[in-house]
Amino acid sequence: MEIDQKREIRFNEETMATVQKIIKRYPEGREKSALIPILHIAQAEFDGWLSPATMDYVASILNIQPIEVYEVASFYSMFNLNPVGKCLIEVCRTSSCWLMGAEDVVRHIEKKLNIHVGETTADGQFTLKTVECLGSCGTAPMMQVGHEYHENLTLEKVDELLNKWKAEGKRSRYC
Amino acid sequence: MGKKLLLEHVDVPGINTLSVYRQKGGYASVEKALKTMTPEAVVEEVKTSGLRGRGGAGFPTGMKWSFLAKPAGVPRYLVCNADESEPGTFKDRYLMEKIPHLLIEGMITASYALGARTSYIYIRGEYFYVAQILEKAIAEAYEAGLLGKNIFNSGFDHDCYVQVGAGAYICGEETALLESLEGKRGNPRIKPPFPAVAGLYGCPTVVNNVETIAAVVPIVNHGGAAYAAIGVGKSTGTKLISASGHIKKPGVYEIELGVPVEEFIYSDEYCGGIINDRKLKAVVAGGSSVPILPADLILKTAAGEPRLMSYESLADGGFASGTMLGSGGFIVMDETASVVKNLYTFTRFYHHESCGQCSPCREGTGWMEKIMHKILDGDGTMNDIELLWDIQAKIEGKTICPLGDAAAWPVASAIRHFRSEFEEYVRRGHSIKDVKHYYSTKGIPEPAYS
């Protein structure tokens, strides 16, 4: 993935208003509590990952040291510290999903997109990851794309979704 | 049909909206508590109910509440643990998604009992769409004056906020959750002090699971004694069970505690039996952390008594022949499933989720995953099985938080009850490599992925 070094890192007014609203949820002097919610917003705004520039920007908003942001961003698995494709596909692989065929789903997507787990397609459209239990055990196997849960997967259903997403240039987003 | 206290109205169209929820008697517990009860009286009802923490530990909720320190001039907090991440568990997601106002109602009533002016619902980041559902419900509640200032003209003010996490199982541990809520890494704190004395921002705090807080609603509405009349012994009330794996009807079931395990697995009211009517092989009864049990021991205790879905009955026999109710994550495996491969997914999970603070857990979980990988690849030796046993024993009880125990118990129980299967993997050597890790009924591994 190529990194756009000139990418401007700054929230627009509307997003900044949302951010300020979140900060107000916490008592005075405890604004750092807003760090994780703001990192989610920053990741969604700035290409799906947290570059050092993005993290420094978030630190400046909360008036904390950049290291305080780095140590948090590197702890939580939903924060991407490297660029990802437009559409991040996360397949659950823990117990119940495995029992119901998650490995078949992963291998199928690998074949279909011609990438391995952890890789991004050459056109930058898809990144494939495996993740630990997403609380969808009764509707296994499943995969998450942004805030969408796709459950009770079959290989046919996966094909259908991938074809659709390819055609529409799908973007995965949480916020 | 068992009694339903939480999910009674779950199938009513529009129950996720405030208007329908109130038509069905919603927010009655808030009105009753604020208008007719003192906070102490609410705590007493919860004590009488015998309600135990539904997140997994099963600690009596009323007792936990009564530990809350109340120094003058210091704010108190209620924090809802909606970080549901225990593999096999998805009940809180179901409850919040289907009937979000039940949780909000419980938050207000419980906050009144505890004297908390502010509460937070900490929900795992992956449940982002559920967080949005909660936000919408909270907005409706504010609009209707059920949140905010002077609720029901009682003089009680309350604000409730949703906080999303970002992918860390460890944040389900209450002190790690508080760290995360403060904008830090989710490293569990050394206890004491317990959150009841020094929790969020160093203030007295109660952290309760989603289902626990929701259960406060029927307890206040009908009284603690009525709640305690349901269930068996010290397992009072109802419990949400997340059923998954090789069953005909996976899903979330509200059971009266004390239902026989056999009935839960085979009756049409619940799981509906095993897929394709295959034979039951094993069950993980309470989420990935609890010991796995083979079919004979999950259906009957070692003494031959029918095993019940209750805290006590599932624990009967200790870890030698019993397990735990845990979070109610009920994972069923039929005769085609490999316990060894399933354990590998667990060891990988705990290695991934260890926060890295304590050496036995940080190093041990990694070792266990690697050894399991080696065994699955057909490179394992009989000595590796002993080594696994040795490592798990050296993690258990030697870490700041229970994640260490949670990582050790599945390994210990799988070896205890299914040692021959581990030995089979070792004996087969490289012929086991690339198999699908399902045993066919004839005991011959199915072909590799095509």
Side-chain angles (χ1 to χ4, degrees):
Chain A
M1 293 286 296
E2 232 172 84
I3 300 173
D4 179 2
Q5 302 288 358
K6 291 193 190 119
R7 179 78 159 94
E8 199 203 0
I9 304 295
R10 179 177 287 277
F11 290 139
N12 63 31
E13 245 172 68
E14 194 188 334
T15 309
M16 197 47 144
T18 309
V19 165
Q20 294 301 343
K21 223 172 119 189
I22 291 172
I23 293 173
K24 290 220 166 59
R25 291 175 175 179
Y26 312 98
E28 225 183 300
R30 300 293 184 177
E31 292 80 4
K32 191 181 166 185
S33 278
L35 178 54
I36 290 172
I38 297 176
L39 283 175
H40 275 300
I41 294 173
Q43 180 162 285
E45 288 277 313
F46 308 122
D47 314 316
W49 70 294
L50 297 171
S51 68
T54 303
M55 290 190 278
D56 291 352
Y57 175 63
V58 171
S60 74
I61 292 174
L62 286 172
N63 205 14
I64 55 179
Q65 295 299 319
I67 183 69
E68 294 178 78
V69 180
Y70 304 162
E71 64 173 12
V72 164
S74 60
F75 184 83
Y76 297 93
S77 61
M78 285 174 73
F79 295 132
N80 303 312
L81 300 183
N82 290 299
V84 292
K86 271 193 263 180
C87 180
L88 175 59
I89 301 173
E90 298 173 293
V91 186
C92 176
R93 62 180 183 177
T94 320
S95 183
S96 301
C97 274
W98 167 71
L99 284 167
M100 301 309 284
E103 287 189 347
D104 294 318
V105 171
V106 172
R107 284 194 165 70
H108 188 74
I109 299 175
E110 284 185 327
K111 219 189 266 178
K112 184 105 182 166
L113 297 179
N114 199 23
I115 51 173
H116 289 109
V117 171
E119 293 176 353
T120 301
T121 52
D123 61 359
Q125 174 63 43
F126 294 105
T127 299
L128 175 64
K129 268 187 171 181
T130 50
V131 291
E132 300 299 344
C133 188
L134 295 184
S136 185
C137 323
T139 38
M142 69 83 67
M143 61 182 174
Q144 181 165 34
V145 172
H147 54 70
E148 298 164 16
Y149 270 41
H150 297 278
E151 307 178 287
N152 292 312
L153 293 177
T154 59
L155 300 188
E156 294 72 39
K157 206 165 157 184
V158 169
D159 275 342
E160 228 172 82
L161 287 168
L162 287 179
N163 290 339
K164 189 172 144 245
W165 294 340
K166 254 185 210 166
E168 68 186 32
K170 169 101 175 160
R171 277 180 185 277
S172 56
R173 286 177 69 114
Y174 277 97
C175 296
Chain B
M1 281 289 275
K3 207 171 188 126
K4 298 212 179 343
L5 300 178
L6 306 180
L7 301 183
E8 188 186 353
H9 302 302
V10 79
D11 292 325
V12 174
I15 195 69
N16 58 333
T17 63
L18 182 65
S19 57
V20 176
Y21 182 71
R22 292 206 76 174
Q23 275 166 30
K24 291 286 165 194
Y27 289 95
S29 76
V30 177
E31 191 166 3
K32 183 177 178 185
L34 268 56
K35 284 186 171 170
T36 68
M37 296 169 80
T38 61
E40 295 74 26
V42 179
V43 175
E44 274 312 308
E45 288 300 330
V46 172
K47 272 190 183 166
T48 308
S49 75
L51 174 66
R52 294 164 69 172
R54 300 296 195 224
F59 190 81
T61 306
M63 202 187 289
K64 192 173 189 175
W65 285 15
S66 65
F67 291 155
L68 187 68
K70 292 173 179 150
V74 179
R76 282 164 245 155
Y77 293 101
L78 170 66
V79 176
C80 172
N81 185 345
D83 192 56
E84 184 172 64
S85 309
E86 175 89 0
T89 315
F90 47 99
K91 65 186 176 75
D92 295 338
R93 173 186 161 209
Y94 182 81
L95 189 150
M96 292 185 286
E97 181 179 343
K98 297 285 181 185
I99 187 160
H101 283 286
L102 183 64
L103 175 60
I104 314 298
E105 178 177 356
M107 291 295 285
I108 303 168
T109 306
S111 293
Y112 172 71
L114 300 168
R117 169 77 180 68
T118 308
S119 63
Y120 295 96
I121 300 171
Y122 182 97
I123 185 168
R124 65 181 300 188
E126 293 92 336
Y127 285 179
F128 187 82
Y129 81 97
V130 184
Q132 286 178 311
I133 292 170
L134 290 174
E135 296 269 20
K136 205 173 148 208
I138 287 175
E140 280 184 310
Y142 269 108
E143 185 84 6
L146 295 163
L147 277 170
K149 297 238 178 283
N150 196 20
I151 301 164
F152 284 118
N153 291 319
S154 64
F156 179 65
D157 304 338
H158 190 72
D159 288 311
C160 178
Y161 302 106
V162 178
Q163 170 94 339
V164 290
Y169 169 71
I170 190 63
C171 291
E173 195 281 336
E174 60 180 13
T175 59
L177 186 154
L178 295 174
E179 286 288 296
S180 183
L181 188 46
E182 292 181 4
K184 302 177 210 155
R185 297 164 73 89
N187 287 347
R189 299 173 182 168
I190 292 173
K191 290 178 275 191
F194 287 90
V197 174
L200 184 63
Y201 310 131
C203 301
T205 304
V206 165
V207 184
N208 281 147
N209 171 259
V210 172
E211 186 188 347
T212 311
I213 292 173
V216 171
V217 173
I219 288 169
V220 169
N221 281 338
H222 310 304
Y227 189 87
I230 302 167
V232 54
K234 285 187 176 166
S235 297
T236 61
T238 65
K239 173 90 189 82
L240 300 182
I241 305 291
S242 320
S244 70
H246 295 149
I247 44 175
K248 286 182 184 162
K249 298 194 314 174
V252 175
Y253 297 98
E254 181 171 10
I255 61 159
E256 283 185 30
L257 284 165
V259 169
V261 173
E262 187 160 6
E263 182 185 335
F264 184 70
I265 296 175
Y266 290 102
S267 99
D268 281 335
E269 194 182 328
Y270 305 112
C271 303
I274 312 293
I275 293 180
N276 295 329
D277 294 319
R278 288 193 294 241
K279 262 169 65 185
L280 175 68
K281 178 174 182 177
V283 172
V284 177
S288 58
S289 309
V290 311
I292 188 171
L293 287 183
D296 53 338
L297 281 177
I298 190 69
L299 298 176
K300 284 197 166 59
T301 65
E305 298 287 322
R307 181 92 69 183
L308 310 178
M309 300 285 281
S310 73
Y311 292 98
E312 292 75 23
S313 180
L314 282 167
D316 186 280
F319 280 3
S321 63
T323 179
M324 291 162 78
L325 178 63
S327 63
F330 198 86
I331 308 169
V332 178
M333 290 169 223
D334 72 19
E335 57 191 333
T336 67
S338 160
V339 166
V340 175
K341 179 65 190 267
N342 183 66
L343 179 64
Y344 170 64
T345 75
F346 284 162
T347 55
R348 184 177 58 192
F349 173 83
Y350 287 109
H351 181 210
H352 188 263
E353 301 300 340
S354 173
C355 81
Q357 217 180 181
C358 312
S359 314
C361 174
R362 180 186 63 241
E363 303 302 319
T365 52
W367 275 61
M368 293 196 300
E369 185 199 345
K370 288 192 186 91
I371 295 165
M372 286 304 298
H373 195 270
K374 184 182 168 195
I375 291 173
L376 282 179
D377 263 358
D379 292 321
T381 63
M382 293 299 175
N383 200 33
D384 284 329
I385 305 172
E386 307 312 320
L387 186 56
L388 270 177
W389 184 268
D390 187 48
I391 294 168
Q392 67 78 23
K394 283 174 176 152
I395 300 174
E396 189 190 6
K398 296 178 181 65
T399 54
I400 289 175
C401 88
L403 192 142
D405 298 344
W409 294 341
V411 174
S413 56
I415 296 174
R416 185 180 296 122
H417 300 298
F418 295 93
R419 180 180 280 269
S420 62
E421 198 170 309
F422 286 82
E423 291 170 355
E424 172 79 2
Y425 268 79
V426 171
R427 259 196 303 276
R428 280 172 187 255
H430 282 175
S431 75
I432 209 82
K433 207 171 186 168
D434 297 330
V435 303
K436 210 170 168 181
H437 297 293
Y438 285 87
Y439 286 114
S440 76
T441 44
K442 290 180 192 127
I444 302 160
E446 290 184 6
Y449 290 98
S450 49

